[in-house]
Amino acid sequence: FIRRGIQALTFHSNNYEPENQPKDMNRIFIIFVAAVGLFSFAQAKQPNFILFITDDISWDDLSCYGSKVAKTPNLDKMAAQGMRFNNAYLSISSCSPSRCSIITGRYPHNTGAAELHTTLPADQPVFPEALQAAGYYTVLSGKHHMGKAVDRGFDKVSRGKGPGKEEDWVPILRERPKDKPFFFWFASSDAHRGWKINKDAPTYKPEEVEVPPYLFDGPATRKDLAEYLHEVSRTDHYLGELRAELKRQGIERDTYII
């Protein structure tokens, strides 16, 4: 889902056939780049962008996508007020290849980084470079997992802080150059084993979780899922912190969160 200020639109794309599904993420990428180009061409105020990426979170473990247990009020609010994608697909169900696919706009077999933990070759394009050329201040904070060649697209690269690598996001937003539009690639490591419990999110009781039918329903499974849901809620907490800071600075209507 995409959110900009308080302008709301719900998007239901139920007309895609299976053979068209891989094109969905490409369409989103094209829309994103086109939006930047149109604003530049019109010499209007350029919008800001925050690309918010979580780690090993299944789409249906957010309450806005049907979970009856997960507490994700900030993501739910953004989904209700903004644009929600019901047919957006990963180019590959693997961590680093998926990230490399997003940042290049290319399928994994075309990036040279199609396997897990493979770094992106230096000859591959990264779209934040185009944003830099358009005058944007660019930052990557949190989980990286794409290799050093990607760093050239960012004015600042941070490993993130805290158990989910989200704790420096609001400071980055506060300390940015105020005379430039910005693009922030904020990637949490929530949710990912080993689970780290802290005060930033609710805890869950093993007996209240929903165990998928493909898993064994036993005490160890339920404990694992309860701790996983804590990290799902923690990344939701930090999205809420970001939105509150955007509002405090008076730029929530000038910023897209994707």
Side-chain angles (χ1 to χ4, degrees):
F1 32 81
I2 297 177
R3 167 80 176 142
R4 187 189 185 196
I6 58 171
Q7 304 168 43
L9 174 66
T10 302
F11 174 68
H12 297 281
S13 56
N14 296 321
N15 60 337
Y16 290 120
E17 298 299 329
E19 62 268 24
N20 294 330
Q21 290 175 0
K23 299 178 182 177
D24 290 5
M25 288 306 295
N26 286 346
R27 287 176 177 141
I28 295 168
F29 178 76
I30 291 168
I31 290 168
F32 172 77
V33 174
V36 176
L38 286 173
F39 274 98
S40 300
F41 179 79
Q43 295 184 334
K45 185 176 181 180
Q46 292 170 299
N48 307 305
F49 294 93
I50 295 175
L51 184 60
F52 175 82
I53 302 178
T54 65
D55 210 347
D56 293 341
I57 296 179
S58 296
W59 66 274
D60 54 356
D61 285 329
L62 306 175
S63 57
C64 59
Y65 280 107
S67 173
K68 297 177 182 178
V69 180
K71 299 178 179 71
T72 53
N74 297 297
L75 286 162
D76 299 343
K77 184 177 181 180
M78 193 172 81
Q81 295 176 335
M83 178 186 293
R84 189 180 71 177
F85 292 96
N86 289 337
N87 279 303
Y89 297 85
L90 289 171
S91 58
I92 187 170
S93 57
S94 184
C95 184
S96 55
S98 179
R99 295 168 194 268
C100 290
S101 184
I102 292 170
I103 205 165
T104 61
R106 309 186 74 184
Y107 286 109
H109 61 272
N110 288 328
T111 64
E115 301 296 331
L116 184 63
H117 306 309
T118 305
T119 58
L120 190 71
D123 63 350
Q124 292 297 300
V126 292
F127 75 80
E129 281 190 297
L131 295 174
Q132 287 177 318
Y136 277 74
Y137 174 65
T138 60
V139 175
L140 185 157
S141 177
K143 187 165 183 176
H144 192 314
H145 212 186
M146 294 177 285
K148 292 183 178 180
V150 167
D151 292 355
R152 69 182 189 271
F154 296 96
D155 299 303
K156 176 183 176 70
V157 175
S158 166
R159 292 180 178 271
K161 295 182 179 179
K165 303 185 185 298
E166 305 117 331
E167 289 182 4
D168 68 347
W169 293 357
V170 169
I172 286 171
L173 187 55
R174 288 175 180 162
E175 296 162 11
R176 65 187 169 83
K178 300 303 191 293
D179 59 343
K180 289 185 175 184
F182 61 82
F183 168 75
F184 294 157
W185 176 295
F186 285 160
S188 77
S189 62
D190 286 333
H192 197 291
R193 290 186 180 90
W195 316 122
K196 298 179 178 69
I197 309 299
N198 73 354
K199 62 179 177 57
D200 292 332
T203 55
Y204 294 81
K205 297 178 181 179
E207 59 267 25
E208 68 181 331
V209 305
E210 294 178 320
V211 179
Y214 51 82
L215 294 178
F216 173 72
D217 189 349
T221 304
R222 286 185 168 273
K223 180 178 183 294
D224 191 58
L225 290 173
E227 293 177 355
Y228 158 75
L229 287 173
H230 170 80
E231 294 202 0
V232 173
S233 291
R234 183 167 58 215
T235 205
D236 175 84
H237 164 78
Y238 278 99
L239 177 71
E241 294 290 292
L242 282 174
R243 293 195 64 192
E245 181 62 23
L246 290 170
K247 186 174 183 179
R248 189 192 71 80
Q249 294 187 28
I251 56 173
E252 74 275 16
R253 291 181 62 85
D254 302 319
T255 304
Y256 287 95
I257 301 176
I258 306 171

